[in-house]
Structures are given as C-alpha cells and as structure tokens.
Amino acid sequence: MPIQPDVLQSCLEDLAPGYSELFTLWHPLMERILLRGNIDRGSLKGPWREFVVVTGGPGTVTQVTTGSEVIAGGRRQNAERGNEYAPRLIYAFDVPGKDMAEANGENDLAKIIKRYPELALSDFHEGISQQLAMGNGGGASGAVGGLGGFVTLNGDAQYNAQGNTNRQGIFEFLPSGTQADVVHNLTKNTTAGWYNQYGQISSFSTDGKATMRQVYYKASRQGSKASGPVDLLLGDESSYLNYIDDLDDQVRVMKVEGDKAPGQVRQGIPFLEADFFLEDSLDVTNAAFTTADASNGVIYMLKSDTFHIFTLGHDSGMETKGDFAVRGPIRIPEQDMWRYEYVLNMGMYCDQLRANGVVTGGAIA
C-alpha cells in the first residue's frame, strides 16, 4: 500500500522531539543551557529579548564612628539593557510523490525517513553548530547557507539577526581592556564590565596549559557566585589534540552524556572543573577567522549558566513553536512533490560576558 503524505507527517511529528533532544545532547553548550533551565519557550511578545546586565551594586557604604553621621543614600545606576533577536529559519525539503507511491509497508517508510527527514534535520543541526562556532552559516564556503541570522561566538564574523541588522560575534580576540565591539547592542568597555577574557598561546608546548588556566580562572572569578566556574571548553581539532598530547601519561577520562547516547556522541576531556570538547565545526583555516591569532587556534571558555535560549511561536499547527518543529506536507503546484519544513525561531544571548573567555594560538605545537 502506498505511503500517504500525512502518514509521513505523523511519523515526523512523533520523531521530531527525539531528534531535537539528540541535538541538545550532541551540542554541549545547548545541553548545558537546557539542563540549567535557561530557556524561555514562546513567552515573548515581540521579535527580540531584552535583558539587564548588572555591572555593580546599587548603593553606597557609610562608616559610622560617632553615631551622628548622615547615611548616604541614593541609587547608583549600574544596570544596562541589552537585547537579542530570534531569527526565523526554515529548512525545507521535498519528497517526490513517486517515492511514496512506490513505498510499501513499514520498511519502506523507514527508508524514506532515513533518506529525507532524518538527513535534512541532521544537516540543519550541523549548520546551526557551524554558525554558532564560526559565523559563516550565511552561505560562505563550507557552510550550509541561510543560517546567517543565528548568533555566533566568533568575534571576527557578523550575523544578521533580523535581516538588515549586522551584529558582531560575541568573543573578541583582543586583550580585555582594548575590546570595543558592540555585542547584544552593548559596547564593550563603554558598558562597565562588558568584555570577554582573552589569552594568546605562543606555542602549546611552551605556555599552552598555563595560558588556558589563566583565562579559565579570570573568567571563573567573574559574575554571580551562584553561577560557578567555567564549565565548558570548545576547541578546534589541533588545539584539542595538542592538549591531549601535553597530558602525556596523565589519566584521561572520557565522558559520554546519556545512558542511550549514540556511539559517536561527543567525548570530553576534563580541564580543571570544566569539560573540554572537540568542536568539529571549528575550522580555523577558514576565512571566517580574519584575526591572525585566531587562525592559529581557538578555544572558547564558556560559563554555561550565563547563556540563555528563547524561542518564538505557540501554535504547532501554524507558526510552530520554533524549536526545530516540523511542518507540512504542502503540495508543490505543478510538481509531483510534497514539501516538509523544519522551523527554528530561536535566539541565544550571554548576560555576563566577562565570565567567559577565549584562547587563541593553541593549534601551534
């Protein structure tokens, strides 16, 4: 019996939550954000999220020595408002009616799902991962294309969050005091405490781990006491392998998240109190990195508690909930094709930038 388009749609709806969850487990930063509960689903009333960055306490201290002192009051304005958009990204793919007509039974349905929807969603996930790590998802060489609205960690790249708004990536590859980029609509250093930590490795064998430790502790000391230390490192392949080589005969603990995680799930190596993951999407030889030091290796040091995700959308049958939701089937006029869509309407931001850092140069042995 031929497979009907709505049957395929029903299967996709059943499978989509599992596929999306697999992506959060596959991407360490997404996983930690969700586990910490730093996600807001569908509560926004507009296209962006506004948030407060607190750079200091609101009052002053008066020392009392005689008892007659006038206690200084007032209020110090130590809060700034940043904002971030949630781009609407739609990954569309078409399934020929001929393929569904020739399919027969559950085995053929499984083959169609493998051939089209599963590969499509995997491609979408990998594109988002690449855009987040490098910022070249707008169609540059090696990128999926069309993903240039999603935020990126790469300070050498820009992303168009709302189609006509160029925004700079989060991490600048310069010493903290000289950073001047605008991130989340806040200017670094003009806004007190708004900058990222930074370190440059001359060669890994010389000062690799020392530089990593220095930036790690600088970032970990910042921000809320309750947020804890930096807990996640994402590095390019050469930096990651140089770190492994530098461990020499020390014990290396490999970590796989989830009891039912697939065999190729990411593996992390401990670095102090953080997990260091190889980020396959980080290609420092790519033109997305224009800073010379960054082209010699990039290691992002992230305090995941300072990152937040928000989505737009409420109705699963209309605009969708924007979390890799599936929509369709839609008959393509004048073609024997049925179109299905994955919809992502998601934004991400960091509200304590100085509690995070980046190290360059780690790819040099």
Side-chain angles (χ1 to χ4, degrees), residues 291-315:
T291 302
D293 291 335
S295 65
N296 290 324
V298 170
I299 302 173
Y300 297 121
M301 294 192 170
L302 310 175
K303 187 181 292 190
S304 61
D305 191 57
T306 66
F307 282 84
H308 304 263
I309 287 175
F310 59 99
T311 63
L312 292 176
H314 305 85
D315 190 336

Side-chain angles (χ1 to χ4, degrees), residues 51 117 146 183 270 277:
F51 58 94
V183 172
F277 287 88

Side-chain angles (χ1 to χ4, degrees), residues 171-211:
F171 290 105
E172 203 166 347
F173 307 117
L174 288 171
S176 300
T178 62
Q179 296 172 21
D181 282 350
V182 178
V183 172
H184 300 325
N185 207 37
L186 296 172
T187 304
K188 291 182 179 178
N189 285 305
T190 298
T191 300
W194 191 245
Y195 55 83
N196 61 265
Q197 309 297 337
Y198 174 73
Q200 165 65 20
I201 295 172
S202 59
S203 72
F204 210 97
S205 59
T206 302
D207 58 1
K209 286 198 293 187
T211 302

Side-chain angles (χ1 to χ4, degrees), residues 34-354:
L34 294 179
L35 289 177
R36 291 179 180 275
N38 291 351
I39 183 169
D40 186 350
R41 299 182 185 273
S43 69
L44 270 69
K45 304 302 181 183
W48 70 84
R49 160 71 71 194
E50 190 174 62
F51 58 94
V52 175
V53 174
V54 180
T55 59
T60 57
V61 176
T62 301
Q63 181 178 352
V64 177
T65 57
T66 67
S68 60
E69 288 82 1
V70 176
I71 298 176
R75 177 177 179 269
R76 288 188 294 155
Q77 179 57 267
N78 291 314
E80 300 285 348
R81 289 187 177 272
N83 60 57
E84 191 52 69
Y85 291 87
R88 188 166 179 82
L89 308 172
I90 299 176
Y91 190 114
F93 62 96
D94 302 332
V95 179
K98 184 174 184 291
D99 285 4
M100 288 186 283
E102 293 176 352
N104 186 17
E106 294 183 0
N107 289 336
D108 284 349
L109 176 59
K111 291 178 182 178
I112 288 181
I113 291 176
K114 285 281 186 182
R115 187 183 308 167
Y116 293 102
E118 193 171 299
L119 289 176
L121 189 57
S122 176
D123 194 30
F124 199 5
H125 287 167
E126 289 175 8
I128 290 294
S129 179
Q130 183 168 331
Q131 170 65 16
L132 181 61
M134 297 181 58
N136 66 344
S141 176
V144 175
L147 302 174
F150 199 78
V151 69
T152 180
L153 302 176
N154 178 14
D156 282 348
Q158 292 185 331
Y159 60 102
N160 297 319
Q162 202 62 3
N164 58 359
T165 305
N166 288 329
R167 294 196 157 206
Q168 206 68 33
I170 293 176
F171 290 105
E172 203 166 347
F173 307 117
L174 288 171
S176 300
T178 62
Q179 296 172 21
D181 282 350
V182 178
V183 172
H184 300 325
N185 207 37
L186 296 172
T187 304
K188 291 182 179 178
N189 285 305
T190 298
T191 300
W194 191 245
Y195 55 83
N196 61 265
Q197 309 297 337
Y198 174 73
Q200 165 65 20
I201 295 172
S202 59
S203 72
F204 210 97
S205 59
T206 302
D207 58 1
K209 286 198 293 187
T211 302
M212 290 174 65
R213 284 194 295 264
Q214 182 183 46
V215 176
Y216 172 90
Y217 283 121
K218 279 185 178 180
S220 295
R221 291 194 297 265
Q222 303 295 323
S224 168
K225 294 179 181 178
S227 65
V230 168
D231 62 310
L232 175 63
L233 275 64
L234 298 175
D236 66 278
E237 184 175 21
S238 294
S239 298
Y240 183 81
L241 294 179
N242 282 340
Y243 174 68
I244 292 178
D245 290 341
D246 203 62
L247 290 176
D248 197 17
D249 295 329
Q250 299 177 43
V251 176
R252 287 171 288 198
V253 180
M254 306 306 288
K255 185 176 181 182
V256 176
E257 297 292 345
D259 294 336
K260 297 181 180 180
Q264 294 183 351
V265 75
R266 298 192 189 209
Q267 295 175 320
I269 298 175
F271 176 80
L272 299 176
E273 294 187 56
D275 292 322
F276 186 4
F277 287 88
L278 167 62
E279 176 52 80
D280 288 322
S281 300
L282 264 176
D283 178 8
V284 294
T285 65
N286 191 281
F289 292 100
T290 58
T291 302
D293 291 335
S295 65
N296 290 324
V298 170
I299 302 173
Y300 297 121
M301 294 192 170
L302 310 175
K303 187 181 292 190
S304 61
D305 191 57
T306 66
F307 282 84
H308 304 263
I309 287 175
F310 59 99
T311 63
L312 292 176
H314 305 85
D315 190 336
S316 299
M318 294 291 291
E319 77 276 9
T320 80
K321 295 183 179 181
D323 53 355
F324 295 104
V326 63
R327 186 169 63 181
I330 304 167
R331 167 71 192 281
I332 300 177
E334 300 180 357
Q335 282 190 293
D336 186 27
M337 293 275 191
W338 296 89
R339 173 159 295 176
Y340 298 84
E341 298 171 339
Y342 287 113
V343 181
L344 183 67
N345 210 167
M346 177 184 289
M348 179 187 294
Y349 65 90
C350 174
D351 62 2
Q352 293 184 43
L353 195 54
R354 67 185 185 275

